[in-house]
Amino acid sequence: MAPETGAEVVLRLDGITKRFGPLVANDAISVTLRKGEVIALLGENGAGKTTLMNILFGHYTADAGTVEVFGQPLPPGHPRAALAAGVGMVHQHFTLADNLTVLENILLGTRPLLAPRLDAREARARVARLSRDFGLAVHPDARVGALSVGERQRVEILKALYRDARILILDEPTAVLTPQETSALFETLRKAVAQGLSVIFISHKLGEVIEISSRVLVLRHGRLVGEVATADTDRHRLAEMMVGAEIAAPRLSERAPGPAFLTLTGVDTPRRGNAPGLKGVTLALRAGQITGLAGVSGNGQAALAALIGGLETPAKGSMELHGARPADWSPRAALTGGIARIPEDRHRTGSVADFTLTENAVLESYAGPPYSRRGWMNWRAADDFARRIIETYDVRCPGPAARIRLLSGGNMQKLILGRALEAGPRIILANQPVRGLDIGAVTFVQNRLIAARDAGAAVLLISEDLDEVMALSDVIHVIYEGRLSPAFPRGTMTPAGLGGWMAGHGFEREHTRGGADAA
Amino acid sequence: MEILDILLTASFWAAAVRIASPLIFATLGELICERAGVLNLGIEGIMVIGAFTGWMTVYLGFGLWTGVLVAMLAGMLFGLLHATLTVPFGLSQHVVGLGVTLLATATAAFAYRLSLPEVTSPPKIVPFQPLPVPGLSELPLVGPAFFAQTPLTYLAFALVVVVSVVLYRTPLGLALRAAGENPASVEAQGLSVTAIRMGAVIVGSGLMAIGGAFLTMSAFSSFFFEMVNGRGWICIALVVFGAWRPGKAALGALLFAAFDALQVRLQQTPMGAVVPYQVFLMVPYILSILALVLMSRRAEVPAALMVPFNKGER
């Protein structure tokens, strides 16, 4: 997919600037897109990728700059105008109504609102044709609420194609997909490009950008810092452009595993709402070892984290902590048993937004000395503790008395990490510890986890990012519909191999239907 | 046995259908609002306004249908107020709704006193008269029960069909349902969430007001301050009972009305001499609560109900 330099320019963004208060989200960004090419917009969280595309699509109005589609200026601030001009956008958070069927979602907004009837016959045939041509299998009468994430994304793409989109914008489309679904998506994109569509692919995943795009535009802090032909670059150089500095990959030294601190044997937990429970899970977390848990989100990761964090008890099977079955299992018991938790959602369960850094620092330990005695808080000790974390973990903040709400995600996570690690835990439950962090913070958190492992802690790393799991884990399990794969030692599995397990291949046959679809 | 006897009389069913009619109007109105994502707690007050303005219009010498129209417009006006505060301004739907109810109720009382300062008992109007459907009204039992009602009752039941068809068979209905589930899906298709939601609240409030007008113009012939008497709140429960579907909600209204009609008749049986009448008055509410508990377990609430939508918010 070489860039066709001679091809017609279909889209031209010129000098786009957008401010949110004091923050310059886009600083005079110019982009051209030609017919039949895939360009990638690469950048960290907050680099301004999504803002730029939302301006193009009319969700936001730019403070300065112009948008031209097929040589015509696009009036700002109107998604309808963008749609009419042939721009289709697949948002990171899908814009589908769960209570409607696939066909209804596709039809939404395509007819005059006051049309007397909704004639779906012709639309149905067209959707079927598009599904076939672009490899987007999905049942037109299925309720969107019942579809898997991969299927929903197909509906979003169908929606754009149904409206004759000639320019397709995909915002972080692979964040929620299995490797198999991602390759199916790329297949679809290649078909689209072959038919003369142009694609803007927004991502922060380097491998995917290199695989699918012909040109890469790198954004950093709202500025376009580089534009290169994909053929002339590599992962390493792209990563450095993205971060603006040299980066070192985390290194795992050889280390013999120690005794098992926590073992699960044949554990079942009940289903909670839409989240599956565990089914016959057997797992050992060993001293000096990082156990990686890969899997598509919603396959039982939450149940396992709840179990180890003390929020859930086994309905069946047994759990042993430091060689003994815990008498009663609760978050308090988990803490006193030496389990430190880095929760999946740092905003909701990891911190209290309107509490200060000090208060958040002692959130798990305030009930006893040194932070309280006989029911009275010792704020001086708590403040000292917060200060220690701020210093050792490089938390950038106004001070321990600041509310944690004001901190960036990375700094908030460093405080939570410090709170967990300073207690000297023997078991660390790290659930999506680097999700949404920029590369600097990612490296910091990962290196701290590795240091804890080297010091003899047992780490459970739950992540949806397969690259992260493979880079950091001594052994890897895949979780699928509450079931656990065998343990794969470091270096014995390929991404494709693990991807197969993530899609349910390899698990006992009767348990592999439904849920995540293996396209 | 008395219950069975009552259930087999035409007058019982006629009463049930009559009692259900205002509930159906208002329930459909609330359902439209909620399907678009707005909880309209102004319903109780808007029914009072509808009851007052409809009756007052006729009292001033205009026709009955003019009264219905005026009631609807008055309801839509309060709907506009509610919609403006909750949709573009995104204020709390609970607070605004209760505020609209208080304002509308007080406005009706104020206007009543202003226009009839000397009156001790409210003047009567000539209400809608039963309009037997030729042929159908001759049927045994069913005829007098269902086909000898006033025109407004026929309108209520016709609206159930109309609202269903609009919701499920037209582009407008599609956009309305999407706005209540995921407004971003509407926005992304270039439609205005604000316009759809405001339109839904205004039209829905118009229907609520007709429900109120039914009381003064079809069920009774006069206006009393206490006449709406919590019917609006019942309708909010009926929307849940009907799982946000017009047909099921209307069925719920009929069920509630049937209990109500039944309790009145039970009071006149020998049982009524023994059991305090308050117990009978409770029956429809208790049975409604039970039905609500059973029916609404699996109901799917519109996901964006009570969630304001701000375009361009980060």
Side-chain angles (χ1 to χ4, degrees):
Chain A
M1 233 173 283
E4 302 173 48
T5 37
E8 176 199 358
V9 171
V10 294
L11 172 73
R12 195 188 299 277
L13 299 173
D14 195 18
I16 299 289
T17 299
K18 174 75 181 172
R19 292 182 199 86
F20 292 104
L23 173 76
V24 183
N26 286 163
D27 190 357
I29 296 178
S30 300
V31 177
T32 52
L33 175 67
R34 292 172 189 283
K35 185 175 178 193
E37 72 168 345
V38 180
I39 64 169
L41 267 189
L42 184 68
E44 299 210 274
N45 293 297
K49 298 166 299 194
T50 301
T51 303
L52 185 65
M53 290 303 110
N54 277 335
I55 287 169
L56 165 57
F57 196 67
H59 286 310
Y60 299 155
T61 310
D63 297 323
T66 55
V67 181
E68 255 180 40
V69 182
F70 295 105
Q72 301 293 316
L74 194 67
H78 293 289
R80 182 182 283 276
L83 284 166
V87 180
M89 181 154 175
V90 176
H91 294 78
Q92 189 176 359
H93 304 288
F94 298 149
T95 56
L96 298 171
D98 285 359
N99 60 343
L100 305 183
T101 67
V102 169
L103 195 63
E104 286 175 328
N105 263 293
I106 292 173
L107 283 175
L108 180 63
T110 59
R111 306 289 169 83
L113 266 192
L114 297 177
R117 290 181 59 230
L118 191 68
D119 186 11
R121 203 170 320 148
E122 182 213 0
R124 184 183 296 274
R126 229 182 113 209
V127 168
R129 202 165 58 241
L130 288 170
S131 294
R132 210 171 45 240
D133 290 355
F134 290 91
L136 293 161
V138 59
H139 196 284
D141 293 317
R143 269 171 45 98
V144 164
L147 298 184
S148 73
V149 180
E151 288 171 313
R152 285 178 204 215
Q153 187 172 66
R154 280 178 241 154
V155 179
E156 284 280 20
I157 297 173
L158 273 175
K159 237 165 75 175
L161 295 175
Y162 182 84
R163 292 156 163 279
D164 296 320
R166 307 302 298 159
I167 300 168
L168 208 53
I169 307 166
L170 298 128
D171 190 0
E172 301 271 359
T174 59
V176 288
L177 302 184
T178 63
Q180 275 75 7
E181 286 173 329
T182 300
S183 19
L185 169 69
F186 285 1
E187 212 40 57
T188 298
L189 293 185
R190 290 196 184 99
K191 282 179 183 155
V193 168
Q195 301 204 11
L197 270 75
S198 309
V199 176
I200 301 180
F201 182 86
I202 303 176
S203 183
H204 63 260
K205 293 190 184 168
L206 301 165
E208 290 169 0
V209 163
I210 288 173
E211 186 185 342
I212 193 72
S213 72
S214 56
R215 220 158 21 107
V216 185
L217 285 76
V218 184
L219 293 187
R220 190 170 71 229
H221 302 314
R223 290 208 181 147
L224 189 63
V225 293
E227 180 171 352
V228 286
T230 312
D232 302 342
T233 189
D234 58 37
R235 281 176 87 103
H236 196 72
R237 271 186 282 173
L238 283 178
E240 280 179 13
M241 271 163 84
M242 194 157 113
V243 186
E246 293 263 348
I247 38 170
R251 275 175 191 288
L252 221 54
S253 57
E254 284 294 324
R255 196 181 192 294
F261 283 161
L262 183 121
T263 50
L264 302 175
T265 316
V267 168
D268 285 9
T269 64
R271 203 179 168 79
R272 298 282 179 218
N274 281 330
L278 301 176
K279 294 182 201 115
V281 165
T282 297
L283 173 73
L285 300 182
R286 296 180 177 282
Q289 183 170 286
I290 296 182
T291 305
L293 188 73
V296 179
S297 117
N299 268 294
Q301 290 96 330
L304 184 62
L307 176 69
I308 296 176
L311 293 163
E312 183 78 84
T313 49
K316 221 177 85 186
S318 71
M319 173 166 70
E320 284 189 6
L321 185 61
H322 309 303
R325 286 179 86 143
D328 82 303
W329 195 230
S330 66
R332 175 66 46 198
L335 280 173
T336 50
I339 298 180
R341 300 164 301 176
I342 299 167
E344 177 179 15
D345 188 336
R346 55 182 160 268
H347 299 279
R348 266 157 74 112
T349 45
S351 62
V352 182
D354 283 313
F355 275 19
T356 64
L357 269 73
T358 299
E359 286 166 333
N360 273 293
V362 297
L363 218 48
E364 296 188 320
S365 49
Y366 66 89
Y371 309 122
S372 67
R373 270 177 229 283
R374 287 187 283 279
W376 293 92
M377 286 298 298
N378 179 353
W379 284 116
R380 188 169 303 167
D383 264 338
D384 289 345
F385 180 54
R387 259 182 248 281
R388 197 163 79 233
I389 294 178
I390 291 169
E391 221 156 278
T392 355
Y393 292 84
D394 187 30
V395 182
R396 314 263 169 88
C397 65
R403 289 183 308 158
I404 202 166
R405 172 191 290 287
L406 301 172
L407 268 55
S408 73
N411 285 312
M412 198 184 278
Q413 191 72 334
K414 284 181 193 170
L415 184 91
I416 292 170
L417 183 76
R419 178 176 77 195
L421 298 186
E422 284 299 292
R426 305 176 74 186
I427 300 168
I428 298 165
L429 169 62
N431 196 352
Q432 310 282 0
V434 300
R435 173 148 71 188
L437 305 188
D438 57 39
I439 291 189
V442 166
T443 313
F444 185 91
V445 172
Q446 290 180 340
N447 284 333
R448 285 289 173 161
L449 288 176
I450 292 172
R453 165 231 189 221
D454 290 341
V459 181
L460 175 64
L461 172 70
I462 303 178
S463 175
E464 284 152 28
D465 183 346
L466 199 51
D467 290 343
E468 184 192 8
V469 172
M470 294 188 68
L472 252 58
S473 308
D474 294 294
V475 291
I476 299 174
H477 287 275
V478 178
I479 192 163
Y480 176 75
E481 292 190 355
R483 307 172 67 80
L484 221 54
S485 74
F488 305 116
R490 183 177 183 77
T492 61
M493 286 299 272
T494 60
L498 288 172
W501 282 90
M502 285 164 71
H505 304 305
F507 290 89
E508 286 166 44
R509 192 156 175 73
E510 68 267 32
H511 295 291
T512 55
R513 298 314 314 164
D517 61 321
Chain B
M1 278 311 94
E2 286 126 359
I3 293 182
L4 202 63
D5 288 341
I6 291 170
L7 289 182
L8 285 174
T9 56
S11 75
F12 163 74
W13 287 105
V17 169
R18 190 172 61 242
I19 296 168
S21 302
L23 300 177
I24 289 176
F25 279 116
T27 303
L28 289 176
E30 182 67 31
L31 188 143
I32 291 171
C33 297
E34 292 193 18
R35 271 296 181 132
V38 182
L39 177 74
N40 190 345
L41 291 183
I43 183 168
E44 180 82 4
I46 290 170
M47 287 183 80
V48 176
I49 273 291
F52 171 73
T53 49
W55 166 79
M56 187 43 99
T57 306
V58 177
Y59 173 71
L60 292 177
F62 295 93
L64 283 163
W65 286 107
T66 312
V68 172
L69 189 71
V70 169
M72 186 179 81
L73 290 175
M76 290 170 88
L77 201 64
F78 279 91
L80 175 67
L81 174 68
H82 187 289
T84 308
L85 295 175
T86 54
V87 182
F89 293 159
L91 301 182
S92 158
Q93 297 180 5
H94 288 111
V95 174
V96 170
L98 292 175
V100 167
T101 281
L102 293 174
L103 179 67
T105 310
T107 305
F110 184 59
Y112 177 86
R113 273 293 157 233
L114 218 58
S115 44
L116 301 166
E118 310 284 316
V119 180
T120 47
S121 74
K124 288 190 184 309
I125 59 166
V126 180
F128 279 106
Q129 299 302 316
L131 183 75
V133 181
L136 290 174
S137 58
E138 324 268 300
L139 295 171
L141 189 65
V142 181
F146 296 102
F147 298 107
Q149 299 282 352
T150 63
L152 276 185
T153 295
Y154 301 135
L155 181 64
F157 282 85
L159 274 175
V160 176
V161 179
V162 171
V163 172
S164 289
V165 169
V166 170
L167 270 186
Y168 293 104
R169 296 267 181 272
T170 69
L172 184 66
L174 202 58
L176 189 84
R177 286 186 288 147
E181 185 74 15
N182 182 3
S185 70
V186 175
E187 163 80 11
Q189 296 312 311
L191 303 174
S192 164
V193 178
T194 307
I196 289 169
R197 286 189 162 178
M198 287 191 71
V201 173
I202 292 169
V203 169
S205 301
L207 289 184
M208 295 168 189
I210 298 180
F214 183 95
L215 297 173
T216 46
M217 301 172 63
S218 197
F220 308 101
S221 53
S222 196
F223 174 78
F224 308 96
F225 288 126
E226 303 299 327
M227 75 189 313
V228 173
N229 194 21
R231 281 182 177 83
W233 311 135
I234 292 289
C235 292
I236 287 176
L238 286 173
V239 173
V240 182
F241 177 86
W244 288 270
R245 291 169 182 278
K248 278 175 89 179
L251 216 62
L254 255 178
L255 193 69
F256 178 83
F259 287 142
D260 204 15
L262 185 65
Q263 63 89 7
V264 173
R265 282 160 180 75
L266 281 178
Q267 285 186 45
Q268 289 142 14
T269 61
M271 213 199 312
V274 191
V275 185
Y277 75 96
Q278 287 92 341
V279 173
F280 293 105
L281 284 175
M282 280 194 296
V283 167
Y285 295 91
I286 291 171
L287 291 178
S288 297
I289 289 169
L290 286 179
L292 196 59
V293 168
L294 293 175
M295 293 280 294
S296 61
R297 279 252 181 85
R298 308 184 62 92
E300 288 179 35
V301 191
L305 182 60
M306 294 190 284
V307 182
F309 179 74
N310 296 319
K311 185 179 155 89
E313 189 173 74
R314 274 163 71 92

